Amino acid sequence: MQNAPVSSLVGEEYEVEVGPVAHGGHCIARTEAGRVLFVRHALPGEKVVARVTEGEETSRFLRADAITILEPSKDRVEAPCPFAGPGKCGGCDWQHAKPGAQRRLKGEVIAEQLLRLAGLTPEEAGWDGTVMPAEGDKLPPGEVPQWRTRVQYAVDAEGHAGLRKHRSHEVEIIDHCMIAAPGVSELGIEKRTWEGMATVEAIAASGSNDRQVILTPRPGGRLPLVELDKPVSVLRVDEKDGGVHRVHGRAFVRERADERTHRVGSGGFWQVHPKAADTLMKAVMQGLLPRKGDTALDLYCGVGLFAGALADRVGDQGAVLGIESGKRAVEDARHNLDAFPRVRIEQGKVESVLPRTGITDVDLIVLDPPRAGAGKQTVHHLAGLGARRIAYVACDPAALARDISYFADRGYRVRTLRAFDLFPMTHHVECVAILEPVKKDARARAL
């Protein structure tokens, strides 16, 4: 007996009252029948017509776009970018919201995740509820911060560069990205065609004049002769091993933070906002308050931003161990920290390398894990090292809240939390949480 075909609801339209913001760049609404919609391009409190973009009769929820705004929010503005809106570029989530409203929405998401996953109110997390703009980003409505120093353009079958539509492989062809940093825009990636390429990533270092283009060919695609409006280094992604190889120019860019130059090679990780590295470094150091002679861990250390800041502050009598899985990032970190003999960088996954080090106690810990978070196993190991303070740098509030709950299970509480809007116009937000051990008498009273 064959199962009855599942009926798609894509294209169906519902008139709905928009509810609260949710993690992921959308708001929650319900149809008259009680069906849950995740609605993009809407704001809390609005009445809209929402058109379903994903979902079937049996789906737990539907995804939808607000295609008509019947009753707009006072926080709504006309999207400055002509490529933003239903069915268009998926790079931005909140072009239709005032800058201050965007930060409030991000704050509401952080608060909701903290309460749901860690059982903490903002007050209990030592957070005042605000999301701070980066220096220079506090602009009036209609003006967009040009912050994105790394942009990966998708290329369509005809070789035209653009950005992908939301949750789609389709390419929205653009002539300019409004949030791209000037150093990216001046390359003119959108002005030329890229036959045979799948993606073109443009990098404009904020700490130097270094410019880099990383090409990913389609299977069998031949590299084009790259002639852009500014001098660039060119790298390519190997279709067999996924490695990044130099074609011409430098294999790295130079970035500045904490008054030091950092080499970042082969498209390796560096914060995308030009103010992000220094903003986060200062928040971490202000929270940890390193002392001369301290021992410290920098986990998921990348090219050594926090390890270098720690080493500078713990001095010759202190010591820092960094752990990073990326081979090229480890090479860069060792190069960047060569002036600090008391810094050691180990390559491998944190959960594998850390137990092998034999370290049983440490004064300070910094961890800046990928979007999925550190996870219960790693958190429990770290809590057993007795650190005086732990700085957790998080790009995902849900992962942060989950890991905070794991730390709480092992006797650590959040002392302070700060949030920074380092990804304007998108739903992404960066947080720095400082944790410390719960005093034994306080734990006893809680029990």
Side-chain angles (χ1 to χ4, degrees):
M1 184 174 177
Q2 291 184 335
N3 293 327
V6 177
S7 177
S8 171
L9 293 177
V10 173
E12 291 290 316
E13 296 180 6
Y14 300 93
E15 186 176 309
V16 294
E17 298 270 359
V18 180
V21 65
H23 186 26
H26 50 255
C27 297
I28 297 174
R30 290 182 183 271
T31 66
E32 288 185 355
R35 190 182 291 275
V36 175
L37 300 180
F38 288 169
V39 187
R40 280 174 57 82
H41 311 292
L43 293 171
E46 293 185 326
K47 181 180 285 188
V48 306
V49 175
R51 179 183 293 158
V52 176
T53 56
E54 288 182 47
E56 302 168 336
E57 286 282 0
T58 56
S59 301
R60 289 192 304 113
F61 60 85
L62 307 175
R63 296 185 182 275
D65 285 340
I67 58 167
T68 304
I69 311 303
L70 302 174
E71 295 180 10
S73 164
K74 61 180 176 57
D75 289 325
R76 176 172 287 275
V77 294
E78 190 73 27
C81 177
F83 307 108
K88 297 182 181 180
C89 173
C92 292
D93 305 294
W94 300 119
Q95 288 255 354
H96 57 286
K98 294 177 182 177
Q102 294 182 35
R103 293 190 287 273
R104 288 197 303 274
L105 291 170
K106 296 182 186 191
E108 289 171 17
V109 168
I110 296 168
E112 190 270 337
Q113 297 296 312
L114 284 172
L115 188 60
R116 185 170 67 87
L117 298 174
L120 296 175
T121 64
E123 293 76 17
E124 290 169 332
W127 176 45
D128 65 5
T130 62
V131 177
M132 297 298 297
E135 180 186 341
D137 278 358
K138 203 164 185 180
L139 300 173
E143 292 189 33
V144 177
Q146 298 173 313
W147 59 271
R148 195 170 186 93
T149 60
R150 295 176 175 223
V151 177
Q152 186 176 79
Y153 297 88
V155 180
D156 70 5
E158 285 74 46
H160 302 297
L163 299 171
R164 296 198 188 280
K165 297 181 180 182
H166 182 61
R167 295 175 61 82
S168 171
H169 292 293
E170 284 188 62
V171 180
E172 176 79 13
I173 304 304
I174 66 172
D175 56 24
H176 176 63
C177 175
M178 290 190 75
I179 64 172
V184 169
S185 297
E186 69 186 15
L187 294 178
I189 300 293
E190 306 96 334
K191 295 179 184 178
R192 61 154 295 167
T193 55
W194 301 90
E195 292 89 351
M197 297 299 103
T199 64
V200 178
E201 183 174 7
I203 299 172
S206 54
S208 66
N209 290 321
D210 295 344
R211 303 290 181 262
Q212 195 174 79
V213 168
I214 303 175
L215 304 175
T216 303
R218 295 180 186 275
R222 298 179 60 184
L223 285 188
L225 179 64
V226 178
E227 295 180 342
L228 294 173
D229 295 348
K230 295 287 181 178
V232 294
S233 298
V234 178
L235 289 77
R236 68 164 291 166
V237 177
D238 190 283
E239 63 181 272
K240 294 180 180 178
D241 63 13
V244 181
H245 306 286
R246 184 177 69 88
V247 177
H248 68 74
R250 286 195 184 97
F252 58 87
V253 296
R254 294 162 297 178
E255 297 282 4
R256 288 284 294 177
D258 199 26
E259 300 181 353
R260 284 193 307 279
T261 297
H262 298 72
R263 186 181 81 182
V264 184
S266 301
F269 176 77
W270 185 260
Q271 290 287 342
V272 178
H273 194 294
K275 301 290 185 180
D278 269 322
T279 297
L280 296 174
M281 183 278 301
K282 289 175 184 174
V284 167
M285 294 304 124
Q286 288 167 0
L288 291 181
L289 297 175
R291 303 168 185 166
K292 296 295 183 184
D294 276 344
T295 57
L297 296 176
D298 180 11
L299 308 179
Y300 317 93
C301 71
V303 301
L305 170 65
F306 298 119
L310 285 166
D312 199 37
R313 289 156 177 82
V314 303
D316 294 340
Q317 300 305 308
V320 180
L321 170 66
I323 301 177
E324 165 60 39
S325 61
K327 181 179 178 182
R328 180 56 200 257
V330 167
E331 293 173 1
D332 287 336
R334 289 171 177 164
H335 169 86
N336 295 335
L337 303 173
D338 185 56
F340 299 105
R342 297 280 287 167
V343 175
R344 188 169 96 249
I345 306 294
E346 296 288 345
Q347 184 192 348
K349 294 184 176 180
V350 169
E351 61 268 27
S352 301
V353 174
L354 188 57
R356 296 202 303 264
T357 64
I359 293 173
T360 57
D361 63 90
V362 69
D363 296 305
L364 302 172
I365 299 172
V366 180
L367 63 158
D368 185 3
R371 192 168 299 281
K376 183 184 290 188
Q377 177 186 342
T378 297
V379 166
H380 286 183
H381 188 133
L382 296 178
L385 299 179
R388 182 175 75 248
R389 284 191 181 175
I390 299 172
Y392 190 127
V393 183
C395 60
D396 185 278
L400 172 65
R402 277 194 299 270
D403 284 348
I404 283 174
S405 72
Y406 300 147
F407 273 113
D409 292 340
R410 289 296 188 269
Y412 275 80
R413 71 175 186 96
V414 184
R415 177 185 174 87
T416 61
L417 187 145
R418 298 172 69 184
F420 302 95
D421 188 16
L422 301 179
F423 310 92
M425 301 291 162
T426 79
H427 74 272
H428 300 290
V429 62
E430 203 86 18
C431 296
V432 176
I434 304 298
L435 298 100
E436 64 181 7
V438 177
K439 294 178 181 178
K440 288 187 172 63
D441 59 342
R443 293 183 69 188
R445 283 197 301 273
L447 294 172

